[in-house]
């Protein structure tokens, strides 16, 4: 709109000059220069593409003109100083300046404030630009209205207004109470949307057209399951100048970081970047008991650990708009983590009478360097004849590597001193992934739409693992615990969907074909395992609008879970020699049929979403623990089938302008049927979880939120996992009209969150406990350009 007003002015000025004949300006040298900056009266923010007209003070004829740049600045020349200035912009009152003082032929008018037109504001209100949610076949669409886009808030605050979506003080995003959400920008992955980088803060609310929420992805998306998809659609015509923030964080345990985010938008370019550096400490306490019920002997250990990290994050990218319909995006990110971990464990071996047979101390020192990078190249072509017709090609590369060394020192306090020994382990790990994707969308008519596309995903992983023992003053390689494992997987996919959408009812169906070629090699023993399989993944979704406030949605999709490298690699982890986790190269993928029925009720003050779901899964992957002497070994196996039926409820209620309540609850019941090596693994169990958040807007621009979390105990095939409850607090204070934000967050206020489990199967009893404790973080963020301060959470980029 701003650009349009400038163009219209220039066209009008050209006609004016043409109608008047040759201008004296063209015949004589220019004598004076007029400069200034136009800003909005309320926010004091620059107005770009505002019109500046130079009129004759005597005749009021137009004699010169220009438009402001992205920073609101202008400079215009005139023949003489007997002029007046008019500054205008669509939706604002025209500002006339009659007193202009020149100094050596230059007049600097400084800041010129313009205010919204009352008539135009009335027109905006009539159009009811209020944010609202609607069903669109396989997704819910949250349209961002004037109530949010005019606030200068960041994308994170927009997401916090979307039903079923919650955003914590630190920027963590959950969908229906679950993490692991895939974030997209304009339908594609982006380093901006990477949750570990928190660059979403560089997008302001008035850049966003709508937010799409997908809880049961269809054939267009990867068949690999996620907690859901959130797709942020940006406005095509928004050129928002400079946005950015600088953030400092400190906390207990040691948590110190600085982050800088910048986004610069012009006519052709959008440049975004982020840099972060910090250090963080993760303390922990643990206890394990492993008991052989046939002999009564137990291995008991307890201890503490402290993991320290220094990390660096860097993001840089740009969008280039060839025209209004064609854009190319190139972006990349790099991160490096320098890790060190110290742990001390006290072990004891006891007999059936709980008498100590031996005891010793095991100290660990681990160091690692973890470089990571990601790049993205994307070409998107829209078509003039229809706003929804588009062609999108993207190429994404990701890499993660780890160079890790661990030293273990054992010192016996009871038992033979000859058993004192040291061990070293080394890990050289690399993981590289490439994704190439082509999507085409073609509207056949206003109600019928078709989509088609293809994708190729290539994964190459290598892990070189070695163990050395210090014997007779020398380090000797332990060949039976040393291996090189290579994992190569290619997935080729193609899909097609077709949809019909009427005023109240719509349906969308699709089919996805995926061909998987997996090869693993254990080089030391030359063991090869190849899996080649082709699968069809159908999906169908439908929605019906009962009333403007009530909608129904139903969907079905087939999903797959492919075993990861760590599930397949038969490596031997000796961090605890008596509790071993290993992989299984013969592991097969899980397949699930996923059904879902949802209803949503949207009112002025809130929304209620309730859904019933059912999943039928085959080749269920379950870790089975076996005992050999005093050593327990856990290995993943495909065991039988599972039926899971659940109910999920999400509610958001705005009590008033100062209080907002959010709640999520999930209950599911599952039944397992399976036999492995003549053992019956049938069992039934249930679990439930709940999360409630209350947000308060206090006086003096203070926001306060409290979140309670509960997860019930759950029974797996062999193990009972305990329930736990924890409470999080957050406080945020805004200064300088939102330009500066000070936040304080407390995670796990009462240090009540922990992992505790008991395994009781055959001759094996095993108990595990681990706890990290309370985390307190204080952050200060300053935002420059347009919008509020934008948070950088100070968290490391996770692989």
């Amino acid at each position: 709109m701003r650009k349009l007003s400038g163009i219209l002015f220039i066209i009008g000025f050209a006609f004016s000059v043409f109608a008047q004949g040759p201008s004296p300006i063209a015949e004589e040298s220019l004598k004076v220069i007029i400069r200034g900056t136009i800003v909005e009266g309320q926010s004091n923010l620059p107005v770009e593409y505002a019109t500046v007209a130079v009129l004759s003070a005597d005749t009021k004829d137009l004699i010169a003109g220009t438009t402001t740049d992205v920073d609101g600045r202008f400079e215009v020349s005139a023949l003489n100083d007997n002029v007046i200035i008019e500054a205008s912009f669509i939706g604002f009152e025209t500002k006339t300046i009659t007193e202009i003082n020149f100094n050596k032929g230059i007049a600097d008018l400084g800041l010129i404030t313009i205010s919204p037109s009352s008539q135009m504001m009335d027109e905006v209100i009539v159009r009811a630009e209020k944010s609202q949610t609607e069903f669109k076949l396989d997704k819910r669409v949250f349209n961002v209205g004037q109530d949010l886009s005019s606030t200068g808030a960041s994308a994170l605050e927009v997401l916090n207004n979307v039903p079923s979506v919650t955003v914590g003080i630190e920027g963590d995003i959950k969908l229906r109470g679950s993490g692991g959400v895939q974030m997209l920008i304009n339908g594609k992955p982006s380093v901006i949307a990477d949750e570990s980088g928190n660059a979403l803060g560089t997008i302001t609310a008035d850049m966003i057209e709508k937010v799409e929420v997908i809880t049961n992805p269809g054939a267009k998306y990867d068949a690999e399951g996620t907690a859901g998809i959130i797709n942020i659609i940006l406005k095509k015509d928004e050129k928002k100048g400079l946005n950015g923030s600088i953030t400092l964080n400190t906390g207990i345990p040691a948590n110190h970081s600085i982050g800088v985010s910048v986004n610069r938008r012009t006519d052709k370019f959008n440049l975004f970047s982020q840099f972060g550096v910090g250090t963080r400490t993760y303390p922990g306490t643990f206890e394990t008991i492993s008991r052989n019920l046939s002999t009564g002997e137990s291995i008991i250990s307890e201890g503490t650990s402290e993991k320290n990290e220094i990390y660096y994050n860097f993001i840089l990218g740009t969008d280039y708009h060839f025209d209004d319909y064609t854009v190319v995006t190139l972006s990349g990110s790099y991160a490096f983590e320098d890790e060190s971990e110290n742990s001390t464990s006290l072990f004891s071996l006891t007999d059936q009478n709980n008498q100590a047979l031996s005891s010793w101390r095991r100290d660990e020192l681990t160091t690692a360097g973890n470089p990571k990078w990601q790049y993205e190249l994307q070409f998107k072509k829209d078509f003039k004849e229809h706003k929804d017709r588009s062609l999108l090609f993207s190429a994404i590369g990701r890499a993660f590597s780890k160079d890790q060394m661990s030293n273990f020192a054992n010192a016996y306090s009871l038992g033979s001193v000859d058993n004192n020994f040291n061990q070293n382990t080394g890990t050289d790990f690399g993981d590289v992934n490439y994704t190439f994707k082509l999507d085409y969308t073609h509207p056949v008519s206003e109600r019928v739409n078709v989509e088609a596309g293809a994708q190729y995903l290539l994964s190459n992983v290598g892990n070189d693992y070695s163990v050395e023992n210090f014997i007779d003053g020398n380090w000797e390689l332990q060949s039976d615990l040393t291996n090189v494992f290579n994992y190569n997987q290619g997935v080729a996919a193609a899909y097609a969907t077709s949809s019909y959408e009427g005023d109240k009812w719509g349906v969308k169906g699709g089919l996805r074909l995926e061909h998987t070629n997996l090869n693993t090699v254990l080089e030391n023993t030359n063991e090869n395992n190849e899996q080649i399989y082709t699968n069809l993944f159908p999906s169908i979704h439908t929605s019906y609008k009962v009333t403007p406030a009530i909608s129904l949605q139903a969907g079905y999709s087939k999903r797959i879970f492919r075993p990861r490298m760590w599930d397949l690699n038969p490596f031997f982890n000796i961090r605890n020699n008596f509790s071993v986790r290993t992989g299984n190269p013969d592991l097969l993928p899980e397949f699930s049929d996923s059904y879902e029925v949802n209803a949503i009720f949207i009112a002025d003050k809130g929304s209620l979403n309730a859904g019933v779901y059912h999943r039928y899964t085959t080749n269920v992957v379950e870790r089975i623990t076996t005992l050999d002497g005093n050593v327990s070994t856990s290995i993943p196996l495909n065991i039988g089938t599972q039926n899971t039926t659940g109910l999920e409820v999400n509610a958001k209620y705005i009590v008033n302008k100062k209080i907002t309540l959010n709640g999520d609850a999930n209950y599911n019941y599952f039944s397992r049927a399976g036999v492995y090596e003549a053992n019956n693994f049938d069992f039934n169990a249930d679990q439930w979880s709940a999360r409630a958040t209350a947000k308060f807007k206090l006086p003096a621009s203070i926001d306060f939120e409290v979140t309670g979390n509960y997860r019930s105990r759950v029974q797996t095939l062999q193990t009972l996992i305990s329930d736990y409850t924890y409470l999080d607090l957050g406080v945020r204070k805004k200064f300088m009209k939102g330009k500066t934000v000070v936040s304080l967050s407390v995670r796990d206020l009462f240090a009540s969150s922990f992992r505790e489990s008991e395994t009781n199967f055959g001759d094996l009893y095993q108990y595990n406990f681990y706890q990290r404790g309370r985390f307190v973080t204080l952050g200060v963020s300053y935002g420059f350009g347009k919008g509020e301060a934008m948070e950088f959470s100070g968290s490391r980029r996770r692989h």
Side-chain angles (χ1 to χ4, degrees):
M1 183 64 72
R2 296 183 179 185
K3 184 176 181 180
L4 177 61
S5 67
I7 293 173
L8 292 175
F9 168 77
I10 293 171
I11 293 174
F13 177 62
F15 274 108
S16 173
V17 172
F18 179 78
Q20 294 176 21
S23 170
I25 298 177
E27 300 173 359
E28 298 184 41
S29 60
L30 299 174
K31 293 184 177 180
V32 296
I33 296 175
I34 305 168
R35 299 170 179 164
T37 301
I38 299 179
V39 298
E40 298 177 11
Q42 295 178 345
S43 65
N44 211 38
L45 296 175
V47 179
E48 53 185 315
Y49 301 114
T51 300
V52 180
V54 182
L55 307 177
S56 169
D58 296 328
T59 66
K60 302 301 185 293
D61 290 336
L62 177 69
I63 59 175
T66 187
T67 59
T68 58
D69 63 16
V70 293
D71 295 316
R73 294 190 297 262
F74 70 89
E75 181 175 302
V76 62
S77 302
L79 180 62
N80 58 64
D81 59 8
N82 187 27
V83 296
I84 62 176
I85 297 293
E86 286 187 353
S88 62
F89 183 68
I90 293 176
F92 287 78
E93 300 282 1
T94 298
K95 183 71 171 283
T96 302
I97 303 172
T98 58
E99 296 184 5
I100 304 175
N101 298 317
F102 288 88
N103 182 13
K104 296 181 179 180
I106 299 176
D108 192 338
L109 304 182
L111 295 181
I112 304 171
T113 59
I114 59 176
S115 302
S117 166
S118 58
Q119 179 179 359
M120 290 299 294
M121 288 300 293
D122 291 340
E123 293 177 2
V124 170
I125 293 173
V126 169
R127 283 195 291 269
E129 281 204 358
K130 181 179 179 182
S131 301
Q132 58 183 347
T133 301
E134 59 181 332
F135 270 128
K136 290 287 187 179
L137 297 177
D138 60 339
K139 58 194 172 189
R140 296 200 303 272
V141 179
F142 179 79
N143 298 294
V144 179
Q146 189 74 19
D147 56 325
L148 288 176
S149 63
S150 63
T151 64
S154 72
L156 294 174
E157 295 191 59
V158 173
L159 291 175
N160 209 33
N161 284 274
V162 178
S164 302
V165 179
T166 56
V167 182
I169 287 287
E170 291 184 334
D172 52 306
I173 301 170
K174 294 183 182 293
L175 176 58
R176 297 196 299 188
S178 300
V181 181
Q182 183 181 10
M183 298 296 303
L184 304 176
I185 300 291
N186 292 333
K188 62 180 179 62
S190 170
V191 294
I192 298 180
D194 190 334
E195 64 172 353
S196 57
N198 287 310
L200 277 175
T202 61
I203 300 175
T204 53
D206 53 354
M207 297 180 189
I208 301 174
E209 178 180 343
K210 58 187 176 182
V211 178
E212 299 176 343
V213 177
I214 303 171
T215 57
N216 190 4
K220 180 178 180 178
Y221 302 96
D222 288 343
E224 288 268 16
T226 66
I229 296 172
I230 297 177
N231 182 27
I232 298 176
I233 305 295
L234 301 180
K235 296 176 181 177
K236 294 181 180 180
D237 58 349
E238 287 294 332
K239 313 298 181 187
K240 305 308 295 184
L242 182 68
N243 307 292
S245 70
I246 301 174
T247 302
L248 295 172
N249 289 303
T250 187
I252 303 173
N255 172 21
H256 315 293
S257 65
I258 180 172
V260 180
S261 299
V262 179
N263 187 321
R264 172 82 181 195
R265 301 174 71 89
T266 66
D267 277 336
K268 293 290 186 180
F269 282 98
N270 170 34
L271 181 67
F272 49 90
S273 64
Q274 184 183 85
F275 174 75
V277 59
T279 178
R280 190 162 189 171
T281 298
Y282 298 91
T285 60
F286 53 86
E287 180 183 357
T288 64
I289 300 173
S290 183
R291 181 173 297 131
N292 188 324
L293 298 179
S294 63
T295 65
E297 289 188 345
S298 301
I299 298 290
I300 303 172
S301 68
E302 59 182 15
T304 61
S305 64
E306 183 177 277
K307 186 174 184 178
N308 299 284
E309 297 174 341
I310 300 175
Y311 53 90
Y312 310 87
N313 303 335
F314 181 71
I315 297 174
L316 180 64
T318 184
D319 300 317
Y320 180 74
H321 297 262
F322 288 94
D323 50 44
D324 291 338
Y325 305 100
T326 309
V327 59
V328 172
T329 299
L330 179 63
S331 63
S333 67
Y334 177 80
F336 184 83
E337 299 165 5
D338 189 0
E339 299 178 352
S340 65
E341 182 170 2
N342 297 279
S343 69
T344 298
S345 305
L346 300 178
F347 284 83
S348 62
L349 172 63
T350 64
D351 60 17
Q352 65 271 25
N353 299 316
N354 205 31
Q355 296 296 315
L357 301 177
S358 61
S359 58
W360 64 99
R361 170 174 168 160
R362 184 173 174 87
D363 292 317
E364 175 190 353
L365 172 61
T366 295
T367 58
N370 307 326
K372 311 174 186 180
W373 59 261
Q374 176 178 324
Y375 79 87
E376 172 199 2
L377 174 63
Q378 178 210 286
F379 171 84
K380 186 176 182 183
K381 173 69 176 178
D382 295 325
F383 295 85
K384 184 177 182 180
E385 59 269 21
H386 200 290
K387 65 182 180 65
D388 292 327
R389 184 184 175 194
S390 65
L391 178 67
L392 173 66
F393 170 77
S394 63
I396 300 175
R398 297 185 180 93
F400 169 79
S401 60
K402 178 185 285 288
D403 185 6
Q404 177 176 296
M405 292 294 297
S406 299
N407 176 261
F408 301 91
N410 299 270
Y412 277 75
S413 56
L414 176 65
S416 173
V417 295
D418 294 336
N419 288 327
N420 293 352
F421 65 95
N422 292 344
Q423 287 179 301
N424 279 339
T425 66
T427 300
D428 185 4
F429 173 81
D431 183 356
V432 180
N433 296 276
Y434 299 98
T435 303
F436 304 93
K437 191 173 184 180
L438 182 67
D439 297 291
Y440 176 67
T441 302
H442 185 85
V444 178
S445 66
E446 289 187 3
R447 298 186 181 274
V448 179
N449 192 56
V450 296
E451 297 173 302
Q455 176 179 288
Y456 184 69
L457 173 63
L458 179 63
S459 300
N460 295 313
V461 185
N463 186 64
D464 186 345
Y465 183 73
S466 64
V467 178
E468 295 179 319
N469 297 318
F470 194 68
I471 301 175
D472 297 329
N474 296 304
W475 288 105
E476 295 185 6
L477 190 68
Q478 189 171 345
S479 58
D480 60 324
L481 300 183
T482 298
N483 69 68
V484 176
F485 185 77
N486 293 314
Y487 165 101
N488 297 285
Q489 179 175 270
V491 180
Y495 76 89
T497 70
S498 180
S499 64
Y500 166 82
E501 188 167 10
D503 294 332
K504 286 192 172 184
W505 174 80
V507 62
K508 181 177 184 177
L511 186 65
R512 186 179 185 90
L513 174 70
E514 292 192 351
H515 176 77
T516 304
N517 191 326
L518 170 67
N519 182 267
T520 65
V521 179
L522 191 62
E523 291 188 2
N524 296 53
T525 57
N526 199 29
E527 294 179 45
N528 287 270
N529 180 40
E530 187 175 43
Q531 297 182 24
I532 301 176
Y533 48 91
T534 303
N535 306 100
L536 290 173
F537 297 93
S539 67
I540 185 168
H541 295 82
T542 184
S543 65
Y544 180 72
K545 183 180 292 186
V546 182
T547 70
I550 301 174
S551 297
L552 303 176
Q553 188 181 55
Y556 161 79
S557 65
K558 191 175 184 65
R559 315 295 295 166
I560 186 175
F561 169 75
R562 296 182 180 88
R564 301 296 188 263
M565 183 267 193
W566 299 112
D567 298 317
L568 300 170
N569 185 4
F571 70 96
F572 188 101
N573 183 357
I574 68 164
R575 169 166 283 186
N576 181 341
N577 297 82
F578 299 94
S579 181
V580 177
R581 287 174 65 88
T582 185
N584 176 12
D586 297 320
L587 204 61
L588 299 175
E590 287 184 349
F591 291 94
S592 296
D593 292 292
S594 179
Y595 306 85
E596 189 173 295
V597 177
N598 287 298
I600 189 169
F601 171 73
I602 301 173
D604 288 339
K605 288 194 171 185
S607 63
L608 175 66
N609 182 82
V612 178
Y613 59 88
H614 177 78
R615 289 191 298 269
Y616 173 70
T617 305
T618 59
N619 290 337
V620 176
V621 176
E622 182 82 41
R623 278 199 168 268
I624 302 299
T625 303
T626 58
L627 187 67
D628 184 8
N630 291 321
V631 178
S632 64
T633 301
S634 171
I635 184 173
L637 298 171
N638 295 108
I639 299 180
T641 61
Q642 179 169 303
N643 283 280
T644 302
T645 302
L647 170 66
E648 192 166 34
V649 178
N650 172 272
K652 179 176 288 189
Y653 180 66
I654 303 173
V655 180
N656 50 47
K657 292 182 179 180
K658 298 183 180 300
I659 303 175
T660 301
L661 304 177
N662 289 281
D664 301 282
N666 188 322
Y667 170 83
N668 65 70
Y669 171 86
F670 54 91
S671 61
R672 177 75 59 81
V675 176
Y676 181 77
E677 293 184 350
N679 293 313
N680 190 320
F681 286 102
D682 295 355
F683 79 102
N684 303 319
D686 64 354
Q687 62 178 331
W688 67 280
S689 62
R691 182 175 184 267
T693 300
K695 298 175 179 287
F696 304 90
K697 290 187 176 295
L698 305 179
S701 298
I702 296 176
D703 297 326
F704 173 73
E705 75 175 33
V706 55
T707 302
N709 301 269
Y710 175 77
R711 187 172 295 275
S712 73
R713 70 176 188 174
V714 58
Q715 176 70 54
T716 65
L717 193 60
Q718 292 180 304
T719 302
L720 178 64
I721 302 172
S722 298
D723 64 338
Y724 59 89
T725 306
Y726 63 97
L727 189 72
D728 298 333
L729 297 179
V731 182
R732 179 170 55 191
K733 162 69 176 171
K734 297 181 180 180
F735 300 90
M736 301 167 58
K737 297 182 179 180
K739 288 293 184 180
T740 301
V741 172
V742 178
S743 60
L744 175 69
S745 65
V746 183
R747 299 304 173 196
D748 194 6
L749 177 64
F750 301 108
S752 56
S753 175
F754 52 82
R755 295 200 304 263
E756 185 180 43
S757 64
E758 285 187 291
T759 299
N760 202 332
F761 191 81
D763 292 336
L764 171 68
Y765 171 83
Q766 196 170 64
Y767 171 83
N768 287 282
F769 175 88
Y770 180 79
Q771 185 175 34
R772 273 190 174 167
R774 182 186 304 107
F775 286 84
V776 181
T777 303
L778 174 67
V780 180
S781 181
Y782 171 72
F784 52 88
K786 298 186 178 182
E788 297 185 348
M790 298 171 259
E791 297 87 354
F792 169 80
S793 73
S795 63
R796 67 188 180 95
R797 291 177 59 81
R798 296 174 177 83
H799 172 59

